[in-house]
Amino acid sequence: MDLRVTIAGITLNNPITTASGTFSARESSAFYNINELGAMITKGVSTIPWPGNPTPRIAEVYGGMINSIGLQNPGIDVFIKEELPFLEQFDTALIVNVAGRTVEEYCEVVEKLNDTKADMLEINISCPNIKEGGISFGTDPKMAAEVTKQVKTRSQKPILMKLTPNVGDVAEIARAVESEGADGISLINTLLGMRIDVHKKTPVLFNRMGGLSGPAVKPVAVRMVYQVRRAVTIPIVGMGGIMSGEDAVEFIMAGADAVSVGTAALVDPAAPVRIKKELIEYMKKNNFKTMKDIRDSFQDR
Amino acid sequence: MDLRVTIAGITLNNPITTASGTFSARESSAFYNINELGAMITKGVSTIPWPGNPTPRIAEVYGGMINSIGLQNPGIDVFIKEELPFLEQFDTALIVNVAGRTVEEYCEVVEKLNDTKADMLEINISCPNIKEGGISFGTDPKMAAEVTKQVKTRSQKPILMKLTPNVGDVAEIARAVESEGADGISLINTLLGMRIDVHKKTPVLFNRMGGLSGPAVKPVAVRMVYQVRRAVTIPIVGMGGIMSGEDAVEFIMAGADAVSVGTAALVDPAAPVRIKKELIEYMKKNNFKTMKDIRDSFQDR
Amino acid sequence: MMKKILNGRVVENIEIADKVYRLVVNAPEAVRDYVPGRFVNVYLKDKSLLLPRPVSISETNGENMALIYGVVGKGTSEIAQYDMGDRIRISTPLGNGYQIGSLLQKMKRDHAMQDGAKAGVIGLVGGGIGVPPLLGLAKAIRKMQREAADDDKSNLEFRNLKTVAVLGFQREPFLEEELKEYCDEVLIATDEGNFGFHGNVLDLIGQNQIHADGYFACGPKPMLKALSTYCRERQIPVQISMEERMGCGYGACVGCVCKTQEKTDEGIAVAAKKVCKDGPVFYGDEVIWDEE
Amino acid sequence: MMKKILNGRVVENIEIADKVYRLVVNAPEAVRDYVPGRFVNVYLKDKSLLLPRPVSISETNGENMALIYGVVGKGTSEIAQYDMGDRIRISTPLGNGYQIGSLLQKMKRDHAMQDGAKAGVIGLVGGGIGVPPLLGLAKAIRKMQREAADDDKSNLEFRNLKTVAVLGFQREPFLEEELKEYCDEVLIATDEGNFGFHGNVLDLIGQNQIHADGYFACGPKPMLKALSTYCRERQIPVQISMEERMGCGYGACVGCVCKTQEKTDEGIAVAAKKVCKDGPVFYGDEVIWDEE
Ligand SMILES: Cc1cc2nc3c(=O)[nH]c(=O)nc-3n(C[C@H](O)[C@H](O)[C@H](O)COP(=O)(O)OP(=O)(O)OC[C@H]3O[C@@H](n4cnc5c(N)ncnc54)[C@H](O)[C@@H]3O)c2cc1C
Ligand SMILES: Cc1cc2nc3c(=O)[nH]c(=O)nc-3n(C[C@H](O)[C@H](O)[C@H](O)COP(=O)(O)OP(=O)(O)OC[C@H]3O[C@@H](n4cnc5c(N)ncnc54)[C@H](O)[C@@H]3O)c2cc1C
Ligand SMILES: Cc1cc2nc3c(=O)[nH]c(=O)nc-3n(C[C@H](O)[C@H](O)[C@H](O)COP(=O)(O)O)c2cc1C
Ligand SMILES: Cc1cc2nc3c(=O)[nH]c(=O)nc-3n(C[C@H](O)[C@H](O)[C@H](O)COP(=O)(O)O)c2cc1C
Ligand code: FES
Ligand code: FES
């Protein structure tokens, strides 16, 4: 059986990656062997340290959760100095997620990553939890294209553009970033959601709204991967509510080349490797040898 | 305790209504006393009979369901002749949901309802399951405004515009329909979703995509009600995943004047009256006498 | 008529064939409304699975109902876990069952029993997990036969009926013994040929020259379609129990439709009927099959 | 160090006060890593509730751990349903517990026990559902005292320690008897005044002139804040166990932060530390409270 997939020239040992913001190499490695992953995708990193939002930052909802972390991170310099050496010890691809409030901020981070061993970058133009930048780049095709164009000029690494589901027509955004040279697309980031505590009579999150993730969003994610697959030809990293190997298969049939496991890793810290095992079981049962076999078996209506 | 709410001049005995498409007076009345409802909202009705989409039309997903009914209905003439007399026997408000593929179709249906005992109309510009009309009116502020304007000219009944969550900025659509004289807004309709059967290797729904509803969508619905409440002053009928009295309270705190119970009625046929009972219990526990008391108790962050 | 969701008690839940279980539920309130071919909604405990699972009632006695189900997915896997004494949330019986009287009327009108003395043959055709409701149906027909035998004047036709069950399975038959108690003949076909006739039920019907004058059937769509075609060609009435993916199961969501045609004064009326409420039992020639 | 999610067995699950339960779980693997103040994640069965519930370990023996929890919402209601013999999914212990040695060092450095002969006083301050972890802590301190008594040379300070538990409840105390076994004194305050002192723990500390030389605390944020202020004013070291809404509970999601300050060579470094991983126990003067 051959689980390998190639995305923008980078070959991953298998299609299972960790969704940005739900993985920390230090902590996750306490639960499983990181080398089992197809790729690590790290928490968003910005030019300077960001403090994130006040707490509560987490609200649980039916079949999911809402977060308003606000991209707390130590900034690219500390990241390169203190986190990268730890990440480089693993024998698995490294995709660094990049956050910014302006096009220039994205570019600064991206440039600083040129001289590192990162294999690929994932540009988050879809965070619903920061005031400037983030999601506003991801909801406007022109701005999404502009970020892509500038980042591509300044980066020597392949670039995945991470799209938001909070749009009317995700295919339009996908075409926009493809036309400016994005090497791939990852989606979905979180859906904007809110929960009110009827006992405390106030929004659960300090920030009121936050990003919805988990199995609750899977049908929206699968639909968007399906739509984007039919709109562009570049590779897709699909995510949103993947909890099992069969969920991963659903995304691959919809058109994803690789998948990311996010909220599942909060529900079960070893989820990424369990999902990989379940994917292998599914392939055995169906006599599939490669990822392509899964994709080819899909019969659209 | 006074559960009454007034929407566009129509006073409902309580804020609990049935979401369009999940209620049939004949069938639902086998499970509970219809007079307990604040209002009945009926399945969408169009100018001529619509056959709906091929089956499967229903897919179950984590904490929700996806439907692609496609607005199967007998047409407005049969509706007026055969359904209305049955509906009129109940001592509860009647809100007729209207479907159309063109502005003119909406208007024709609306005009035919002028001479009936319907108390209010709900104009569905948000159905994701039909090719023309439906959702396309609901995703473009200009078209949403145009439908509102025309319908308002031709109807003698108060009009609720039913909005789709499949947009980047729902407040913009809400302002557009308010500016053209909508008497109220109801939201959310379903989120576009998809499920693939990994055993059959094909989309579950014949139509491939359909509308996601149920508790999975509640955080998105609450967020949109909250956003729309802050964008317009007309009344709001809130819905999306309401399963319990406390869920209803969440919508009321977010800004809804009344609520609709949809998917819950598939999960528990008597859900609307159970939810009303739970709402009353919540009010007792919190010493609330009116719906306004609930709203006023909300402390925004 | 008021309907209800109620808590039944599990009396028994045992595997009677590979991945096929017989669940007996104590629910007197729900048993009262039983007609062969009706079904109940089973509401699950797993909160990720919201929609009820429709399962046909296989048979009842005064207090209990038996549901026979195949374990195919998460919902039926949950049901298979239920233990004696556990609560199970079910609806009172839903849908329209088989209409024995109506089929007999059609048989008479058609070609079979013009001569009261001639024995009519009813075929009960079941495929796999469609077999269970035929048990309650066979019992009901037998009961009518007995009552007709006791009462010399009425229901002449019941006394002269013969019932033949034709059952198809993939490889492992079940309910054969039970059906033998109530049917005059029980024939078995298996796809793999390891038991009884090697082939499908239609082949078996042809091979054995069953020549029934009317049929009741329940099973997978391709079987129902083939049988309906067979019957239409021979002008034999057939009632089939349709299966469709359901939402509510009680007629509110219009999720479970089946395209039908009906002769009316103005020609042929095409409709999309609700399987859960207008069915699940339809006449074979009512159903429009072309979409399959 | 590898961490794990494992299945424990419920040994006991009984209500010890109104809506407060004591759950004993047999999970030898998880007991090994116990340090007073650490917690476990409890993973629920209800599939609508995905996130684990963090619960402090109250005490352990070689095989079992006791969790004492208040029933406040759906998750803890589910846990309250568990019966003897049931499986419960928990993580191995998480977070950093109380550091007894470190507090004693600070006490020595500060003002208490310069003279080895003088008895130092440790205050254990608990509020409501924050009381349970103090039990394991009191046991650990007592054990150290015993060991110090046996070994004349080392750990002089342990022999001269006195422990006073100051516990606040809304109206119904629990764990009082258990703590009396391990503490030299146990004082109770209730908000409603129906038991012990009428008022909060801070008032009780003032009233009784406790004058402890160091504190360990666990309870609601306002209590922790008030105690931290009290201690800062008096330059007494205090370790507090913070509570924050958690996502993962093991340091991956950055959901559960607490603003902290630390003196470094370059001035004061402000950080947002993870309660689940860097805590839940912090020194009171590390925490920045202004946001409350
Ligand atoms: C009127 C009616 C009567 C039925 N009676 C019986 C019976 O007596 N015994 C029995 O074993 N089964 C019966 N079924 C089918 C039964 O409802 C499904 O097998 C069951 O719902 C599957 O649930 P699951 O969660 O285990 O499978 P899922 O995980 O939901 O799906 C497993 C597979 O079953 C199919 N499936 C799921 N739900 C349905 C559905 N509602 N209808 C048809 N296919 C479905 C899916 O396509 C999928 O391939 C009946 C169905 C209907 C509509
Ligand atoms: C490190 C740590 C140790 C803890 N130790 C204990 C303990 O030993 N005994 C005990 O009874 N409780 C303890 N808690 C609190 C416990 O985790 C919550 O009471 C529990 O998660 C509530 O779950 P629920 O589903 O019953 O309530 P929910 O339905 O989730 O919520 C009920 C109420 O509890 C609050 N709440 C929910 N989750 C949390 C959370 N993770 N932290 C704080 N508040 C929350 C909500 O604001 C809500 O008002 C601890 C919390 C932390 C962070
Ligand atoms: C706690 C949390 C933090 C996240 N942080 C980031 C982030 O820093 N950058 C980013 O691009 N996406 C972030 N995401 C989004 C996830 O990477 C992912 O796109 C989303 O959660 C959907 O996948 P899931 O349902 O499997 O979680 C975060 C999600 C969660 C739950
Ligand atoms: C089976 C089904 C049919 C529906 N049909 C209609 C319809 O005809 N017109 C309409 O405006 N909305 C329709 N809806 C949308 C619901 O009215 C409601 O907006 C949506 O389901 C969200 O609420 P819920 O989560 O409580 O179901 C339908 C929903 C379902 C599940
Ligand atoms: S399943 Fe809802 S109408 Fe039949
Ligand atoms: S709860 Fe996830 S980092 Fe603490």
Side-chain angles (χ1 to χ4, degrees), chain B residues 21-24 27-32 54-58 60-65 69 72 200 204 215 243 265-267 269, chain C residues 1-5 43 47-53 89 221 244-248 250-255 257 272 274 277 291:
Chain B
T22 62
F23 167 82
S24 152
E27 316 310 333
S28 303
S29 65
F31 287 98
Y32 62 85
T55 59
R57 292 178 174 185
I58 303 273
E60 191 183 43
V61 293
Y62 206 112
M65 59 179 283
I69 309 295
Q72 179 179 335
K200 299 190 177 156
V204 173
M243 299 291 279
L266 278 53
V267 181
Chain C
M1 191 191 56
M2 284 309 276
K3 287 178 193 159
K4 252 190 157 170
I5 310 302
Y43 293 85
K47 290 209 185 152
S48 71
L49 307 174
L50 296 179
L51 299 178
R53 298 316 195 245
R89 268 169 56 82
K221 263 193 194 174
E244 191 48 73
R245 197 74 56 83
M246 291 187 177
C248 65
Y250 64 89
C253 75
V254 207
V257 296
K274 299 172 189 168
K277 195 213 146 194
E291 251 167 46

Side-chain angles (χ1 to χ4, degrees), chain D residues 220-289:
Chain D
K221 264 194 196 172
M223 181 196 103
L224 297 179
K225 184 180 176 183
L227 182 64
S228 297
T229 307
Y230 171 93
C231 288
R232 196 184 54 239
E233 284 164 359
R234 289 164 184 74
Q235 305 221 342
I236 309 171
V238 57
Q239 285 180 19
I240 57 177
S241 178
M242 294 292 285
E243 208 181 295
E244 191 47 74
R245 197 75 57 81
M246 291 186 178
C248 64
Y250 64 89
C253 75
V254 207
C256 64
V257 296
C258 161
K259 258 203 196 166
T260 61
Q261 54 192 356
E262 224 175 332
K263 277 191 200 121
T264 65
D265 296 344
E266 289 116 49
I268 289 173
V270 173
K273 289 196 178 170
K274 299 172 188 169
V275 171
C276 67
K277 195 214 145 196
D278 305 315
V281 176
F282 296 94
Y283 273 103
D285 54 11
E286 248 184 299
V287 173
I288 300 176
W289 294 98

Side-chain angles (χ1 to χ4, degrees), chain A residues 197 200, chain D residues 53-56 68-70 73 75-76 129 243-245:
Chain A
D197 185 326
K200 299 190 178 156
Chain D
R53 298 316 195 246
V55 184
S56 300
I68 294 179
Y69 61 95
T76 46
I129 207 65
E243 208 181 295
E244 191 47 74
R245 197 75 57 81

